[in-house]
PDB file of all heavy atoms in Angstrom:
ATOM      1  N   LEU I   1     126.135 -38.535  27.391  1.00 91.00           N
ATOM      2  CA  LEU I   1     126.816 -37.923  26.251  1.00 91.00           C
ATOM      3  C   LEU I   1     127.880 -36.925  26.718  1.00 91.00           C
ATOM      4  O   LEU I   1     128.979 -36.868  26.174  1.00 91.00           O
ATOM      5  CB  LEU I   1     125.810 -37.214  25.334  1.00 91.00           C
ATOM      6  CG  LEU I   1     124.929 -38.109  24.483  1.00 91.00           C
ATOM      7  CD1 LEU I   1     123.850 -37.274  23.801  1.00 91.00           C
ATOM      8  CD2 LEU I   1     125.767 -38.849  23.466  1.00 91.00           C
ATOM      9  N   VAL I   2     127.549 -36.130  27.720  1.00 91.00           N
ATOM     10  CA  VAL I   2     128.498 -35.143  28.242  1.00 91.00           C
ATOM     11  C   VAL I   2     129.704 -35.862  28.841  1.00 91.00           C
ATOM     12  O   VAL I   2     130.856 -35.447  28.649  1.00 91.00           O
ATOM     13  CB  VAL I   2     127.821 -34.231  29.296  1.00 91.00           C
ATOM     14  CG1 VAL I   2     128.833 -33.352  29.997  1.00 91.00           C
ATOM     15  CG2 VAL I   2     126.757 -33.373  28.634  1.00 91.00           C
ATOM     16  N   ALA I   3     129.469 -36.960  29.545  1.00 92.00           N
ATOM     17  CA  ALA I   3     130.566 -37.699  30.192  1.00 92.00           C
ATOM     18  C   ALA I   3     131.491 -38.361  29.173  1.00 92.00           C
ATOM     19  O   ALA I   3     132.626 -38.693  29.499  1.00 92.00           O
ATOM     20  CB  ALA I   3     130.001 -38.737  31.149  1.00 92.00           C
ATOM     21  N   GLN I   4     131.045 -38.541  27.931  1.00 92.00           N
ATOM     22  CA  GLN I   4     131.890 -39.144  26.890  1.00 92.00           C
ATOM     23  C   GLN I   4     132.860 -38.138  26.285  1.00 92.00           C
ATOM     24  O   GLN I   4     133.821 -38.533  25.635  1.00 92.00           O
ATOM     25  CB  GLN I   4     131.024 -39.742  25.783  1.00 92.00           C
ATOM     26  CG  GLN I   4     130.265 -40.974  26.222  1.00 92.00           C
ATOM     27  CD  GLN I   4     129.313 -41.477  25.153  1.00 92.00           C
ATOM     28  OE1 GLN I   4     129.219 -40.903  24.070  1.00 92.00           O
ATOM     29  NE2 GLN I   4     128.601 -42.551  25.474  1.00 92.00           N
ATOM     30  N   LEU I   5     132.626 -36.851  26.501  1.00 92.00           N
ATOM     31  CA  LEU I   5     133.507 -35.820  25.950  1.00 92.00           C
ATOM     32  C   LEU I   5     134.774 -35.690  26.805  1.00 92.00           C
ATOM     33  O   LEU I   5     134.777 -36.080  27.972  1.00 92.00           O
ATOM     34  CB  LEU I   5     132.773 -34.473  25.910  1.00 92.00           C
ATOM     35  CG  LEU I   5     131.541 -34.398  25.002  1.00 92.00           C
ATOM     36  CD1 LEU I   5     130.822 -33.072  25.212  1.00 92.00           C
ATOM     37  CD2 LEU I   5     131.935 -34.565  23.549  1.00 92.00           C
ATOM     38  N   PRO I   6     135.851 -35.124  26.263  1.00 92.00           N
ATOM     39  CA  PRO I   6     137.060 -34.921  27.071  1.00 92.00           C
ATOM     40  C   PRO I   6     136.844 -33.789  28.078  1.00 92.00           C
ATOM     41  O   PRO I   6     135.993 -32.928  27.901  1.00 92.00           O
ATOM     42  CB  PRO I   6     138.126 -34.545  26.043  1.00 92.00           C
ATOM     43  CG  PRO I   6     137.361 -33.954  24.922  1.00 92.00           C
ATOM     44  CD  PRO I   6     136.048 -34.686  24.868  1.00 92.00           C
ATOM     45  N   CYS I   7     137.637 -33.805  29.124  1.00 91.00           N
ATOM     46  CA  CYS I   7     137.575 -32.759  30.149  1.00 91.00           C
ATOM     47  C   CYS I   7     137.854 -31.406  29.505  1.00 91.00           C
ATOM     48  O   CYS I   7     138.809 -31.242  28.744  1.00 91.00           O
ATOM     49  CB  CYS I   7     138.604 -33.043  31.246  1.00 91.00           C
ATOM     50  SG  CYS I   7     138.704 -31.771  32.508  1.00 91.00           S
ATOM     51  N   LEU I   8     137.008 -30.425  29.804  1.00 89.00           N
ATOM     52  CA  LEU I   8     137.187 -29.098  29.202  1.00 89.00           C
ATOM     53  C   LEU I   8     138.344 -28.325  29.816  1.00 89.00           C
ATOM     54  O   LEU I   8     138.813 -27.363  29.229  1.00 89.00           O
ATOM     55  CB  LEU I   8     135.901 -28.269  29.338  1.00 89.00           C
ATOM     56  CG  LEU I   8     134.769 -28.658  28.396  1.00 89.00           C
ATOM     57  CD1 LEU I   8     133.566 -27.756  28.631  1.00 89.00           C
ATOM     58  CD2 LEU I   8     135.205 -28.569  26.953  1.00 89.00           C
ATOM     59  N   HIS I   9     138.829 -28.736  30.967  1.00 87.00           N
ATOM     60  CA  HIS I   9     139.920 -27.999  31.595  1.00 87.00           C
ATOM     61  C   HIS I   9     141.280 -28.576  31.240  1.00 87.00           C
ATOM     62  O   HIS I   9     142.173 -27.861  30.800  1.00 87.00           O
ATOM     63  CB  HIS I   9     139.745 -27.958  33.122  1.00 87.00           C
ATOM     64  CG  HIS I   9     140.743 -27.090  33.792  1.00 87.00           C
ATOM     65  ND1 HIS I   9     141.823 -27.594  34.454  1.00 87.00           N
ATOM     66  CD2 HIS I   9     140.849 -25.737  33.877  1.00 87.00           C
ATOM     67  CE1 HIS I   9     142.539 -26.595  34.931  1.00 87.00           C
ATOM     68  NE2 HIS I   9     141.979 -25.461  34.590  1.00 87.00           N
ATOM     69  N   CYS I  10     141.445 -29.908  31.419  1.00 87.00           N
ATOM     70  CA  CYS I  10     142.766 -30.498  31.177  1.00 87.00           C
ATOM     71  C   CYS I  10     142.826 -31.295  29.877  1.00 87.00           C
ATOM     72  O   CYS I  10     143.919 -31.636  29.415  1.00 87.00           O
ATOM     73  CB  CYS I  10     143.200 -31.366  32.348  1.00 87.00           C
ATOM     74  SG  CYS I  10     142.209 -32.855  32.573  1.00 87.00           S
ATOM     75  N   GLY I  11     141.680 -31.626  29.271  1.00 86.00           N
ATOM     76  CA  GLY I  11     141.655 -32.310  27.982  1.00 86.00           C
ATOM     77  C   GLY I  11     141.797 -33.810  28.037  1.00 86.00           C
ATOM     78  O   GLY I  11     141.876 -34.452  26.989  1.00 86.00           O
ATOM     79  N   ILE I  12     141.818 -34.418  29.217  1.00 88.00           N
ATOM     80  CA  ILE I  12     141.990 -35.877  29.318  1.00 88.00           C
ATOM     81  C   ILE I  12     140.724 -36.592  28.852  1.00 88.00           C
ATOM     82  O   ILE I  12     139.616 -36.130  29.089  1.00 88.00           O
ATOM     83  CB  ILE I  12     142.375 -36.281  30.756  1.00 88.00           C
ATOM     84  CG1 ILE I  12     142.828 -37.724  30.799  1.00 88.00           C
ATOM     85  CG2 ILE I  12     141.242 -36.046  31.711  1.00 88.00           C
ATOM     86  CD1 ILE I  12     143.448 -38.117  32.113  1.00 88.00           C
ATOM     87  N   TRP I  13     140.901 -37.714  28.159  1.00 88.00           N
ATOM     88  CA  TRP I  13     139.788 -38.534  27.678  1.00 88.00           C
ATOM     89  C   TRP I  13     139.539 -39.683  28.633  1.00 88.00           C
ATOM     90  O   TRP I  13     140.458 -40.184  29.280  1.00 88.00           O
ATOM     91  CB  TRP I  13     140.108 -39.124  26.295  1.00 88.00           C
ATOM     92  CG  TRP I  13     139.938 -38.178  25.174  1.00 88.00           C
ATOM     93  CD1 TRP I  13     140.880 -37.330  24.687  1.00 88.00           C
ATOM     94  CD2 TRP I  13     138.772 -37.966  24.393  1.00 88.00           C
ATOM     95  NE1 TRP I  13     140.377 -36.601  23.638  1.00 88.00           N
ATOM     96  CE2 TRP I  13     139.067 -36.978  23.432  1.00 88.00           C
ATOM     97  CE3 TRP I  13     137.493 -38.501  24.398  1.00 88.00           C
ATOM     98  CZ2 TRP I  13     138.154 -36.530  22.499  1.00 88.00           C
ATOM     99  CZ3 TRP I  13     136.576 -38.055  23.472  1.00 88.00           C
ATOM    100  CH2 TRP I  13     136.906 -37.081  22.537  1.00 88.00           C
ATOM    101  N   GLY I  14     138.279 -40.127  28.723  1.00 87.00           N
ATOM    102  CA  GLY I  14     137.956 -41.343  29.445  1.00 87.00           C
ATOM    103  C   GLY I  14     137.694 -41.210  30.929  1.00 87.00           C
ATOM    104  O   GLY I  14     137.368 -42.199  31.580  1.00 87.00           O
ATOM    105  N   HIS I  15     137.845 -40.053  31.510  1.00 88.00           N
ATOM    106  CA  HIS I  15     137.626 -39.877  32.950  1.00 88.00           C
ATOM    107  C   HIS I  15     136.609 -38.777  33.252  1.00 88.00           C
ATOM    108  O   HIS I  15     136.503 -38.330  34.389  1.00 88.00           O
ATOM    109  CB  HIS I  15     138.941 -39.533  33.663  1.00 88.00           C
ATOM    110  CG  HIS I  15     139.953 -40.625  33.597  1.00 88.00           C
ATOM    111  ND1 HIS I  15     139.882 -41.742  34.395  1.00 88.00           N
ATOM    112  CD2 HIS I  15     141.043 -40.784  32.811  1.00 88.00           C
ATOM    113  CE1 HIS I  15     140.893 -42.537  34.118  1.00 88.00           C
ATOM    114  NE2 HIS I  15     141.612 -41.978  33.160  1.00 88.00           N
ATOM    115  N   SER I  16     135.867 -38.344  32.235  1.00 90.00           N
ATOM    116  CA  SER I  16     134.966 -37.197  32.422  1.00 90.00           C
ATOM    117  C   SER I  16     133.689 -37.564  33.149  1.00 90.00           C
ATOM    118  O   SER I  16     133.214 -38.694  33.082  1.00 90.00           O
ATOM    119  CB  SER I  16     134.614 -36.576  31.070  1.00 90.00           C
ATOM    120  OG  SER I  16     135.753 -36.006  30.489  1.00 90.00           O
ATOM    121  N   GLN I  17     133.162 -36.561  33.837  1.00 91.00           N
ATOM    122  CA  GLN I  17     131.853 -36.612  34.473  1.00 91.00           C
ATOM    123  C   GLN I  17     131.081 -35.399  33.993  1.00 91.00           C
ATOM    124  O   GLN I  17     131.672 -34.400  33.594  1.00 91.00           O
ATOM    125  CB  GLN I  17     131.968 -36.521  35.988  1.00 91.00           C
ATOM    126  CG  GLN I  17     132.650 -37.658  36.662  1.00 91.00           C
ATOM    127  CD  GLN I  17     132.774 -37.404  38.153  1.00 91.00           C
ATOM    128  OE1 GLN I  17     132.888 -36.264  38.597  1.00 91.00           O
ATOM    129  NE2 GLN I  17     132.775 -38.480  38.926  1.00 91.00           N
ATOM    130  N   ALA I  18     129.754 -35.481  34.068  1.00 91.00           N
ATOM    131  CA  ALA I  18     128.913 -34.321  33.743  1.00 91.00           C
ATOM    132  C   ALA I  18     128.854 -33.426  34.980  1.00 91.00           C
ATOM    133  O   ALA I  18     128.242 -33.782  35.979  1.00 91.00           O
ATOM    134  CB  ALA I  18     127.530 -34.766  33.331  1.00 91.00           C
ATOM    135  N   ALA I  19     129.516 -32.290  34.909  1.00 90.00           N
ATOM    136  CA  ALA I  19     129.542 -31.348  36.028  1.00 90.00           C
ATOM    137  C   ALA I  19     128.432 -30.324  35.844  1.00 90.00           C
ATOM    138  O   ALA I  19     128.365 -29.655  34.818  1.00 90.00           O
ATOM    139  CB  ALA I  19     130.898 -30.637  36.081  1.00 90.00           C
ATOM    140  N   HIS I  20     127.535 -30.225  36.810  1.00 88.00           N
ATOM    141  CA  HIS I  20     126.449 -29.245  36.746  1.00 88.00           C
ATOM    142  C   HIS I  20     126.995 -27.849  37.042  1.00 88.00           C
ATOM    143  O   HIS I  20     127.837 -27.680  37.914  1.00 88.00           O
ATOM    144  CB  HIS I  20     125.354 -29.577  37.751  1.00 88.00           C
ATOM    145  CG  HIS I  20     124.489 -30.722  37.337  1.00 88.00           C
ATOM    146  ND1 HIS I  20     124.839 -32.032  37.560  1.00 88.00           N
ATOM    147  CD2 HIS I  20     123.299 -30.745  36.704  1.00 88.00           C
ATOM    148  CE1 HIS I  20     123.886 -32.819  37.090  1.00 88.00           C
ATOM    149  NE2 HIS I  20     122.943 -32.067  36.560  1.00 88.00           N
ATOM    150  N   ALA I  21     126.483 -26.872  36.334  1.00 87.00           N
ATOM    151  CA  ALA I  21     126.851 -25.493  36.604  1.00 87.00           C
ATOM    152  C   ALA I  21     126.268 -25.084  37.954  1.00 87.00           C
ATOM    153  O   ALA I  21     125.159 -25.487  38.307  1.00 87.00           O
ATOM    154  CB  ALA I  21     126.318 -24.588  35.501  1.00 87.00           C
ATOM    155  N   ASN I  22     127.011 -24.329  38.737  1.00 80.00           N
ATOM    156  CA  ASN I  22     126.544 -23.905  40.054  1.00 80.00           C
ATOM    157  C   ASN I  22     125.670 -22.663  39.984  1.00 80.00           C
ATOM    158  O   ASN I  22     125.058 -22.285  40.964  1.00 80.00           O
ATOM    159  CB  ASN I  22     127.741 -23.656  40.974  1.00 80.00           C
ATOM    160  CG  ASN I  22     128.482 -24.938  41.283  1.00 80.00           C
ATOM    161  OD1 ASN I  22     127.877 -25.972  41.465  1.00 80.00           O
ATOM    162  ND2 ASN I  22     129.794 -24.880  41.314  1.00 80.00           N
ATOM    163  N   THR I  23     125.612 -22.015  38.839  1.00 73.00           N
ATOM    164  CA  THR I  23     124.797 -20.822  38.666  1.00 73.00           C
ATOM    165  C   THR I  23     123.332 -21.211  38.654  1.00 73.00           C
ATOM    166  O   THR I  23     122.938 -22.132  37.948  1.00 73.00           O
ATOM    167  CB  THR I  23     125.147 -20.107  37.353  1.00 73.00           C
ATOM    168  OG1 THR I  23     126.552 -19.913  37.301  1.00 73.00           O
ATOM    169  CG2 THR I  23     124.444 -18.779  37.233  1.00 73.00           C
ATOM    170  N   GLY I  24     122.526 -20.523  39.434  1.00 67.00           N
ATOM    171  CA  GLY I  24     121.087 -20.744  39.421  1.00 67.00           C
ATOM    172  C   GLY I  24     120.602 -21.855  40.331  1.00 67.00           C
ATOM    173  O   GLY I  24     119.423 -22.124  40.378  1.00 67.00           O
ATOM    174  N   LYS I  25     121.492 -22.499  41.053  1.00 68.00           N
ATOM    175  CA  LYS I  25     121.012 -23.512  41.991  1.00 68.00           C
ATOM    176  C   LYS I  25     121.311 -23.042  43.404  1.00 68.00           C
ATOM    177  O   LYS I  25     122.147 -22.193  43.633  1.00 68.00           O
ATOM    178  CB  LYS I  25     121.618 -24.886  41.704  1.00 68.00           C
ATOM    179  CG  LYS I  25     123.077 -25.050  42.037  1.00 68.00           C
ATOM    180  CD  LYS I  25     123.513 -26.473  41.750  1.00 68.00           C
ATOM    181  CE  LYS I  25     124.941 -26.683  42.181  1.00 68.00           C
ATOM    182  NZ  LYS I  25     125.397 -28.042  41.933  1.00 68.00           N
ATOM    183  N   GLY I  26     120.570 -23.590  44.305  1.00 67.00           N
ATOM    184  CA  GLY I  26     120.750 -23.213  45.701  1.00 67.00           C
ATOM    185  C   GLY I  26     120.021 -24.183  46.592  1.00 67.00           C
ATOM    186  O   GLY I  26     119.711 -25.311  46.186  1.00 67.00           O
ATOM    187  N   MET I  27     119.698 -23.723  47.774  1.00 65.00           N
ATOM    188  CA  MET I  27     119.054 -24.577  48.746  1.00 65.00           C
ATOM    189  C   MET I  27     117.688 -25.013  48.232  1.00 65.00           C
ATOM    190  O   MET I  27     116.806 -24.197  48.019  1.00 65.00           O
ATOM    191  CB  MET I  27     118.892 -23.818  50.049  1.00 65.00           C
ATOM    192  CG  MET I  27     118.719 -24.670  51.227  1.00 65.00           C
ATOM    193  SD  MET I  27     119.110 -23.644  52.632  1.00 65.00           S
ATOM    194  CE  MET I  27     117.958 -24.245  53.782  1.00 65.00           C
ATOM    195  N   GLY I  28     117.512 -26.289  47.988  1.00 68.00           N
ATOM    196  CA  GLY I  28     116.237 -26.803  47.504  1.00 68.00           C
ATOM    197  C   GLY I  28     116.022 -26.598  46.023  1.00 68.00           C
ATOM    198  O   GLY I  28     114.965 -26.929  45.503  1.00 68.00           O
ATOM    199  N   THR I  29     116.978 -26.040  45.313  1.00 71.00           N
ATOM    200  CA  THR I  29     116.862 -25.805  43.877  1.00 71.00           C
ATOM    201  C   THR I  29     117.894 -26.656  43.167  1.00 71.00           C
ATOM    202  O   THR I  29     119.080 -26.553  43.439  1.00 71.00           O
ATOM    203  CB  THR I  29     117.094 -24.323  43.537  1.00 71.00           C
ATOM    204  OG1 THR I  29     116.251 -23.533  44.351  1.00 71.00           O
ATOM    205  CG2 THR I  29     116.813 -24.056  42.086  1.00 71.00           C
ATOM    206  N   LYS I  30     117.451 -27.494  42.266  1.00 71.00           N
ATOM    207  CA  LYS I  30     118.347 -28.360  41.521  1.00 71.00           C
ATOM    208  C   LYS I  30     118.700 -27.726  40.185  1.00 71.00           C
ATOM    209  O   LYS I  30     117.896 -27.039  39.582  1.00 71.00           O
ATOM    210  CB  LYS I  30     117.686 -29.722  41.267  1.00 71.00           C
ATOM    211  CG  LYS I  30     117.237 -30.424  42.524  1.00 71.00           C
ATOM    212  CD  LYS I  30     118.419 -30.907  43.302  1.00 71.00           C
ATOM    213  CE  LYS I  30     117.938 -31.698  44.510  1.00 71.00           C
ATOM    214  NZ  LYS I  30     118.917 -31.848  45.507  1.00 71.00           N
ATOM    215  N   ALA I  31     119.908 -27.979  39.739  1.00 80.00           N
ATOM    216  CA  ALA I  31     120.332 -27.470  38.438  1.00 80.00           C
ATOM    217  C   ALA I  31     119.803 -28.395  37.350  1.00 80.00           C
ATOM    218  O   ALA I  31     119.661 -29.600  37.526  1.00 80.00           O
ATOM    219  CB  ALA I  31     121.849 -27.407  38.377  1.00 80.00           C
ATOM    220  N   CYS I  32     119.533 -27.818  36.198  1.00 84.00           N
ATOM    221  CA  CYS I  32     119.033 -28.551  35.047  1.00 84.00           C
ATOM    222  C   CYS I  32     120.161 -29.397  34.454  1.00 84.00           C
ATOM    223  O   CYS I  32     121.323 -28.990  34.440  1.00 84.00           O
ATOM    224  CB  CYS I  32     118.524 -27.536  34.023  1.00 84.00           C
ATOM    225  SG  CYS I  32     117.976 -28.255  32.488  1.00 84.00           S
ATOM    226  N   ASP I  33     119.822 -30.583  33.946  1.00 86.00           N
ATOM    227  CA  ASP I  33     120.831 -31.447  33.353  1.00 86.00           C
ATOM    228  C   ASP I  33     121.411 -30.872  32.067  1.00 86.00           C
ATOM    229  O   ASP I  33     122.504 -31.256  31.662  1.00 86.00           O
ATOM    230  CB  ASP I  33     120.250 -32.836  33.077  1.00 86.00           C
ATOM    231  CG  ASP I  33     120.124 -33.675  34.342  1.00 86.00           C
ATOM    232  OD1 ASP I  33     120.690 -33.259  35.374  1.00 86.00           O
ATOM    233  OD2 ASP I  33     119.475 -34.726  34.283  1.00 86.00           O
ATOM    234  N   LEU I  34     120.696 -29.960  31.420  1.00 88.00           N
ATOM    235  CA  LEU I  34     121.237 -29.329  30.214  1.00 88.00           C
ATOM    236  C   LEU I  34     122.326 -28.315  30.545  1.00 88.00           C
ATOM    237  O   LEU I  34     123.068 -27.899  29.663  1.00 88.00           O
ATOM    238  CB  LEU I  34     120.117 -28.654  29.417  1.00 88.00           C
ATOM    239  CG  LEU I  34     119.042 -29.575  28.871  1.00 88.00           C
ATOM    240  CD1 LEU I  34     117.990 -28.768  28.122  1.00 88.00           C
ATOM    241  CD2 LEU I  34     119.644 -30.640  27.980  1.00 88.00           C
ATOM    242  N   GLN I  35     122.420 -27.925  31.809  1.00 89.00           N
ATOM    243  CA  GLN I  35     123.442 -26.968  32.251  1.00 89.00           C
ATOM    244  C   GLN I  35     124.654 -27.721  32.791  1.00 89.00           C
ATOM    245  O   GLN I  35     125.107 -27.500  33.905  1.00 89.00           O
ATOM    246  CB  GLN I  35     122.866 -26.047  33.333  1.00 89.00           C
ATOM    247  CG  GLN I  35     121.660 -25.257  32.905  1.00 89.00           C
ATOM    248  CD  GLN I  35     122.007 -24.255  31.833  1.00 89.00           C
ATOM    249  OE1 GLN I  35     123.004 -23.564  31.929  1.00 89.00           O
ATOM    250  NE2 GLN I  35     121.185 -24.179  30.803  1.00 89.00           N
ATOM    251  N   THR I  36     125.190 -28.640  31.989  1.00 91.00           N
ATOM    252  CA  THR I  36     126.344 -29.439  32.396  1.00 91.00           C
ATOM    253  C   THR I  36     127.469 -29.323  31.387  1.00 91.00           C
ATOM    254  O   THR I  36     127.245 -28.922  30.235  1.00 91.00           O
ATOM    255  CB  THR I  36     125.965 -30.928  32.544  1.00 91.00           C
ATOM    256  OG1 THR I  36     125.414 -31.379  31.313  1.00 91.00           O
ATOM    257  CG2 THR I  36     124.986 -31.144  33.656  1.00 91.00           C
ATOM    258  N   PHE I  37     128.657 -29.674  31.824  1.00 92.00           N
ATOM    259  CA  PHE I  37     129.835 -29.683  30.963  1.00 92.00           C
ATOM    260  C   PHE I  37     130.791 -30.740  31.494  1.00 92.00           C
ATOM    261  O   PHE I  37     130.735 -31.098  32.668  1.00 92.00           O
ATOM    262  CB  PHE I  37     130.501 -28.292  30.908  1.00 92.00           C
ATOM    263  CG  PHE I  37     130.664 -27.641  32.234  1.00 92.00           C
ATOM    264  CD1 PHE I  37     131.825 -27.812  32.973  1.00 92.00           C
ATOM    265  CD2 PHE I  37     129.648 -26.846  32.767  1.00 92.00           C
ATOM    266  CE1 PHE I  37     131.970 -27.207  34.209  1.00 92.00           C
ATOM    267  CE2 PHE I  37     129.792 -26.246  33.999  1.00 92.00           C
ATOM    268  CZ  PHE I  37     130.957 -26.424  34.723  1.00 92.00           C
ATOM    269  N   PRO I  38     131.664 -31.301  30.649  1.00 93.00           N
ATOM    270  CA  PRO I  38     132.529 -32.384  31.087  1.00 93.00           C
ATOM    271  C   PRO I  38     133.768 -31.897  31.850  1.00 93.00           C
ATOM    272  O   PRO I  38     134.487 -31.017  31.399  1.00 93.00           O
ATOM    273  CB  PRO I  38     132.935 -33.066  29.776  1.00 93.00           C
ATOM    274  CG  PRO I  38     132.867 -31.989  28.759  1.00 93.00           C
ATOM    275  CD  PRO I  38     131.767 -31.069  29.191  1.00 93.00           C
ATOM    276  N   LEU I  39     133.977 -32.472  33.012  1.00 92.00           N
ATOM    277  CA  LEU I  39     135.195 -32.266  33.799  1.00 92.00           C
ATOM    278  C   LEU I  39     135.627 -33.638  34.313  1.00 92.00           C
ATOM    279  O   LEU I  39     134.794 -34.492  34.614  1.00 92.00           O
ATOM    280  CB  LEU I  39     134.960 -31.322  34.972  1.00 92.00           C
ATOM    281  CG  LEU I  39     134.720 -29.847  34.634  1.00 92.00           C
ATOM    282  CD1 LEU I  39     134.412 -29.064  35.897  1.00 92.00           C
ATOM    283  CD2 LEU I  39     135.913 -29.243  33.934  1.00 92.00           C
ATOM    284  N   CYS I  40     136.932 -33.861  34.424  1.00 92.00           N
ATOM    285  CA  CYS I  40     137.427 -35.185  34.802  1.00 92.00           C
ATOM    286  C   CYS I  40     137.222 -35.442  36.297  1.00 92.00           C
ATOM    287  O   CYS I  40     137.213 -34.531  37.118  1.00 92.00           O
ATOM    288  CB  CYS I  40     138.892 -35.351  34.419  1.00 92.00           C
ATOM    289  SG  CYS I  40     140.027 -34.244  35.241  1.00 92.00           S
ATOM    290  N   ALA I  41     137.050 -36.731  36.608  1.00 91.00           N
ATOM    291  CA  ALA I  41     136.806 -37.185  37.981  1.00 91.00           C
ATOM    292  C   ALA I  41     138.143 -37.405  38.694  1.00 91.00           C
ATOM    293  O   ALA I  41     139.206 -37.443  38.075  1.00 91.00           O
ATOM    294  CB  ALA I  41     136.006 -38.475  37.964  1.00 91.00           C
ATOM    295  N   ASP I  42     138.052 -37.577  40.016  1.00 90.00           N
ATOM    296  CA  ASP I  42     139.236 -37.924  40.801  1.00 90.00           C
ATOM    297  C   ASP I  42     139.718 -39.313  40.383  1.00 90.00           C
ATOM    298  O   ASP I  42     138.910 -40.217  40.111  1.00 90.00           O
ATOM    299  CB  ASP I  42     138.911 -37.947  42.289  1.00 90.00           C
ATOM    300  CG  ASP I  42     138.624 -36.563  42.837  1.00 90.00           C
ATOM    301  OD1 ASP I  42     138.974 -35.576  42.174  1.00 90.00           O
ATOM    302  OD2 ASP I  42     138.044 -36.476  43.938  1.00 90.00           O
TER     303      ASP I  42
END
């Protein structure tokens, strides 16, 4: 669902990925899937 939304930075449709927030994750700690937002892929 997150990947279907437009990129939050540039607004392009159709190229989004679910980008996990880097806050709260670290070595051996995975970020929660609910902590994601759409950003476009390369």
Side-chain angles (χ1 to χ4, degrees):
L1 286 172
V2 171
Q4 290 175 0
L5 297 173
C7 176
L8 285 180
H9 186 257
C10 67
I12 191 170
W13 281 89
H15 295 283
S16 294
Q17 295 176 330
H20 284 84
N22 293 322
T23 308
K25 72 177 184 180
M27 201 161 144
T29 308
K30 303 289 184 198
C32 176
D33 284 348
L34 297 179
Q35 301 294 316
T36 56
F37 46 91
L39 290 176
C40 63
D42 291 343

